[in-house]
Amino acid sequence: MTPFDTPLTLPSGLVLPNRIAKAPMTENLADADNQPTVRHERVYRRWAEGGAGLLVTGNLMVDRRYLERSRNIVADRHLDLGRLARVREAAGSTPMIAQLSHPGRQTNRFIARHPVAPSGGKAVSMLGLFGKPRPLTAEEIGEIVRRFGEAAQQVEQAGFDGLQVHAAHGYLLAQFLSPHTNRRTDSWGGDVAGRARALLEVIRSCRSATGDGFAVAVKLNSSDFRHGGLTEDHAEQVVKLLVDEGVDLIEISGGTYESPALLGLAGASESTGPGSVKEAYFSAFATRARRAAPDVPIMLTGGIRTRTAMQALLDSGAVDVIGMGRPIALDPDLPAKLLRGEEGRALPSYSLPTALGMAGESEWYEHQIGRLGDGLEPEPDLNEYLAAGSFLVGEAIRGLREGPRRRKLATAPRS
């Protein structure tokens, strides 16, 4: 039996005091210039006080022209390192790593009318929020790789213990991995190794920009849960490539905006087998990942809700860290409760149609994070329709108003 309070040492040397992680969630709390704010400090202080053994931030974007949300922090050369350092300091002694990301074709059309992707194709189908993407040139891919390395250097200087490269949920590096969105015939596409090249080059860029002892983790889809997308067989091959790169932690998740298994809304069922736990969406693949990466810690996120299931996952040996996002947004003291042997608060259910429901559910939890950032308690009775409307209207207004300034700043000559 693996008790929740068992410490875990990552290959980098970073020691997690327990096996419960606050998984990455978009905070959407940056200011109009995409800089960290005191609201970030408050929410990460609260989560650290809540007992998690690891805090993983939400998306820190590497290019301010392409944002996942209008109020993402952007970790580029314009980042205020002092502000980001204060966010890290707010978490105290709790280990904390920064998630680095590029949304690719999942950039809101109000922020970028023409998003980028490995290949051209149709726009992401979700309430008309996304534009038709254009394919990246090889030169542009190299520039994105460089931007990840620059962002890695920034977060290390701000005092973070490591970073997580986001290669899941349909964002750009996941788009490269998927044969559905990557139909390139050059060295950035083709077989699994070719499609994984962008991710591997990003990892190398991050490694070369940071020092020894700085953890480099990866968030990876177990499957895209759609015809023609990334499969479990593909993902297992990618895990083996990540082992060769010496990554320190692999977080397993799944789904995209087009098949949002990450929210349990569409097809979040895998093959069953030893180590699978019914309420944990991606537990069966965690067993495959463990076989492919016997010496790399595995973090599992997605649908894990009861203490019994968490204990079963840890005891299976397939999972080293339990990742929880939305439950901790609603109940920031949940890790401490679990460590004391208690259960957490039940999550609400949603009745809106899938696309609108996904927007509403996402904004519902962002609202809870915002309240924590304001020093308030969560609001579990928030109406889901109001949450969906807030998401759609807010992102449209901010994207249209601030987009031109972001594009100008992002393309300004380097000093």
Side-chain angles (χ1 to χ4, degrees), residues 172-192:
L172 182 62
L173 294 176
Q175 293 162 30
F176 271 98
L177 291 173
S178 172
H180 174 70
T181 48
N182 184 354
R183 299 180 299 281
R184 300 179 71 98
T185 58
D186 62 6
S187 61
W188 300 99
D191 60 9
V192 171

Side-chain angles (χ1 to χ4, degrees), residues 303-319:
I304 309 170
R305 296 293 180 261
T306 65
R307 195 176 195 282
T308 299
M310 297 174 198
Q311 189 65 67
L313 289 164
L314 292 174
D315 290 345
S316 75
V319 176

Side-chain angles (χ1 to χ4, degrees), residues 85-223:
R86 287 194 290 274
V87 177
R88 175 62 191 95
E89 291 164 3
S93 62
T94 303
M96 187 173 182
I97 65 177
Q99 184 187 69
L100 303 183
S101 181
H102 189 303
R105 67 197 285 262
Q106 290 182 173
T107 302
N108 190 307
R109 72 186 312 151
F110 299 112
I111 295 171
R113 183 175 300 177
H114 301 292
V116 294
S119 305
K122 296 180 180 180
V124 175
S125 178
M126 184 179 166
L127 302 174
L129 288 175
F130 303 103
K132 185 177 180 180
R134 67 168 180 83
L136 288 159
T137 66
E139 182 179 6
E140 287 175 319
I141 298 171
E143 173 65 12
I144 290 170
V145 170
R146 185 197 63 75
R147 286 179 182 270
F148 270 93
E150 181 178 80
Q153 186 177 56
Q154 296 275 60
V155 299
E156 182 183 39
Q157 290 175 356
F160 282 75
D161 302 295
L163 61 86
Q164 182 191 73
V165 177
H166 198 342
H169 297 175
Y171 295 119
L172 182 62
L173 294 176
Q175 293 162 30
F176 271 98
L177 291 173
S178 172
H180 174 70
T181 48
N182 184 354
R183 299 180 299 281
R184 300 179 71 98
T185 58
D186 62 6
S187 61
W188 300 99
D191 60 9
V192 171
R195 299 197 308 273
R197 181 186 171 193
L199 171 58
L200 301 184
E201 291 290 347
V202 161
I203 293 169
R204 293 163 190 163
S205 179
C206 292
R207 285 283 193 203
S208 65
T210 56
D212 293 340
F214 190 74
V216 175
V218 172
K219 188 180 184 94
L220 181 70
N221 266 9
S222 59
S223 170

Side-chain angles (χ1 to χ4, degrees), residues 390-409:
S390 173
F391 167 76
L392 295 170
V393 174
E395 289 298 286
I397 292 174
R398 291 190 292 268
L400 291 170
R401 184 176 61 209
E402 301 161 6
R405 185 174 76 253
R406 288 195 189 96
R407 290 189 288 272
K408 182 178 180 180
L409 189 62

Side-chain angles (χ1 to χ4, degrees), residues 6 67 71 150 159 192 221 233 254 278 325 353 372:
T6 304
L67 305 181
R71 289 292 190 267
E150 181 178 80
V192 171
N221 266 9
D233 289 341
K278 186 175 181 181
L372 294 174

